Structures are given as C-alpha cells and as structure tokens.
Amino acid sequence: MSPDVTPPAVPFPPGEVLARVVRGPLVESVHLGHVVVVGPDGAVAFALGDPGVVVWPRSSLKPLQAVAMLRAGLEVDDDGLALACASHNGEPRHLDVVRRVLASAGLGEEDLQNTPDLPLDPAASSAWRAAGGEASSLTQNCSGKHAAMLVTCALAGWPTSGYLAPEHPLQRAVRAGVEELVGEAVEHVTVDGCGAPLLSTTLLGLAHGFARLALAAQATPASAEGRVAAAVRTRPGLVGGTGRDVTAFCEAVPGLVAKDGAEGVYAAALPDGTALA
C-alpha cells in the first residue's frame, strides 16, 4: 500500500479461498471470501472464513426490506412484490410492473429518486437506446424497490419527498424490520448504488433472515415474510430476468428463495429453513 492511500476504517477479514480460476497449467486468480450455512434449527452447519463478519449485503437485502414495507402498510400484488425484491434487467416486463405499482398510488416515474441508469440487460439496453431512451430512474435495476418505497409512503401518510433520507419514517421502519429479521442491530449505514440507505448485517444474520422467509412460507404463508418468499419463488423472472443466475436457480430448485447482490454477495434458503450467505 502506498503511503498516500488511507486504510479502511474497519479492516475486512481476508477470508478463505472460495474459488481458483485455472487457465492451462496455471492458477490465474484466487478468490477469497466468507460463507456460512445454517441448518433448519438456525445453528451453523458449515462455514468458511468468519460467519460473524460485518458486511454490506447490498441488493441481497431487498427481500427483507420488502417484508418491512409490507409491515408498514405497503399494498401491492405479487408481481409488484417480486419487483420490490428485484435487481431487474430493465426488460419491458419489468418496466411495465414498476409503472403499474407507481400508478396504483397516483405516482409516476418522475417521483423515483434512484440513481438513473440504462437497463442492466445488454439486449434491453440496446433496444431502449435504439428507441431514443436515455439513462433513467425507471430503467435502473432498483426501480422496483423504489416504487414500493414510494407507495409505502403514500399509503402510510408519509411524505414521498425525501424518502431516501435515513431519518425518514420509511427508512426507520425498514431498519427496524431488517434488525428484527436478522436478529441483530444494524452497526453501520451508508448509501447504496441506487441512492437508498444501505444497512450492514453480519453474514450469519443475513442467512438467518432468509431462513425466516423460507420457514414463514410454510408456516404462515399470509404473513409478510411468507408473501415475499412466495413472490420470489413464483416470479423469479421478475426478480432478475433473462440470463440471470438468480432467476435460473429459483426456477431449478423447488422452493428456493434467493437474491444476488453486488460485490459477490448472495443469500438463499430452502423450504426447510436451511440457508446460506
């Protein structure tokens, strides 16, 4: 490290070797990380690295945020709920649902405050630009979550302006919901790539949160947790899209609840409550 580079305030444990990329006779790169698997009883069944490492869960947190929004009064159909959990491709099917969710509360694309971007899917991005489209909040992959946040505010009687501020009633409710689901206090808050507050969790807490979703789908399907799990399971094409591994996994594994996130974060749970992060 050069002398003019400031080290991180909270050093990140290096983790264990999770993968090696081999090209010809040589190992080209080695990838380090942390993995934890919890069993149906919530106990750690397998781990590499530090299960208690504090991480930014990125978009893997969206299903837990969606539970918090339902508890705060969000009313949306299962398509809209799947988009609330999504890092979508920006395909027409995704944008149609986002527009419909916003319209349900008398809102429009102009109310979205997430960071503008082109569709995540290359084909969708090319088609959007060919039609004269530019980077927008609608086509950015988190617009489903932001639409749900806005509708939650409208239904709860909270202001839609400033809904991304950590002190806004919506974000306070989301934080409280996430803390309850992961079973631990949020230690750090920063800004995610879409502009929304990003809450830290431990890797173990994230796994426990997804286990809660999976178990609720069996025991209390009408609960907020059960509804979110069902939306992810039954509408994986809305959660990701064409060519996305999170979509393929949920389509291939019966009852799987999974969500990808930036910087290599992943969380998933099976119907019996076995979960990993």
Side-chain angles (χ1 to χ4, degrees):
M1 179 179 291
S2 61
D4 60 340
V5 175
T6 302
V10 182
F12 191 75
E16 301 288 338
V17 174
L18 302 185
R20 293 179 176 88
V21 178
V22 177
R23 187 182 301 272
L26 300 178
V27 174
E28 186 171 41
S29 61
V30 177
H31 298 262
L32 307 180
H34 304 266
V35 177
V36 63
V37 179
V38 298
D41 61 353
V44 174
F46 174 82
L48 285 173
D50 180 7
V53 64
V54 178
V55 301
W56 298 121
R58 301 301 298 267
S59 286
S60 290
L61 199 63
K62 285 175 180 173
L64 307 187
Q65 293 172 310
V67 170
M69 286 187 272
L70 286 174
R71 291 176 176 178
L74 173 64
E75 295 178 9
V76 68
D77 64 15
D78 288 345
D79 284 354
L81 193 53
L83 257 293
C85 301
S87 301
H88 63 75
N89 271 354
E91 298 170 61
R93 56 176 166 167
H94 301 121
L95 306 187
D96 289 346
V97 175
V98 175
R99 291 187 181 104
R100 180 161 52 79
V101 169
L102 289 167
S104 71
L107 300 164
E109 299 172 28
E110 66 279 2
D111 295 297
L112 293 168
Q113 295 179 23
N114 51 305
T115 308
D117 200 358
L118 290 166
L120 195 60
D121 177 67
S125 179
S126 294
W128 180 261
R129 286 178 292 171
E134 299 179 344
S136 72
S137 293
L138 174 68
T139 52
Q140 196 264 346
N141 72 89
C142 299
S143 62
K145 178 182 76 174
H146 284 253
M149 286 182 169
L150 283 164
V151 172
T152 302
C153 290
L155 295 176
W158 299 328
T160 55
S161 61
Y163 73 93
L164 297 183
E167 64 274 13
H168 190 282
L170 168 74
Q171 302 302 341
R172 291 204 303 267
V174 168
R175 177 171 179 163
V178 167
E179 289 180 328
E180 192 273 328
L181 289 166
V182 302
E184 60 192 31
V186 169
E187 291 188 32
H188 307 282
V189 181
T190 189
V191 180
D192 211 339
C194 64
L198 176 59
L199 312 175
S200 72
T201 68
T202 64
L203 208 59
L204 182 59
L206 184 60
H208 282 151
F210 270 70
R212 288 276 302 272
L213 299 182
L215 291 170
Q218 309 302 313
T220 55
S223 66
E225 297 96 319
R227 284 198 59 201
V228 167
V232 173
R233 288 172 170 174
T234 61
R235 290 159 174 78
L238 294 180
V239 176
T242 303
R244 295 284 295 283
D245 52 58
V246 69
T247 297
F249 290 157
C250 288
E251 289 175 342
V253 181
L256 185 72
V257 180
K259 184 66 187 75
D260 52 351
E263 295 297 331
V265 184
Y266 229 106
L270 293 168
D272 69 351
T274 300
L276 68 85

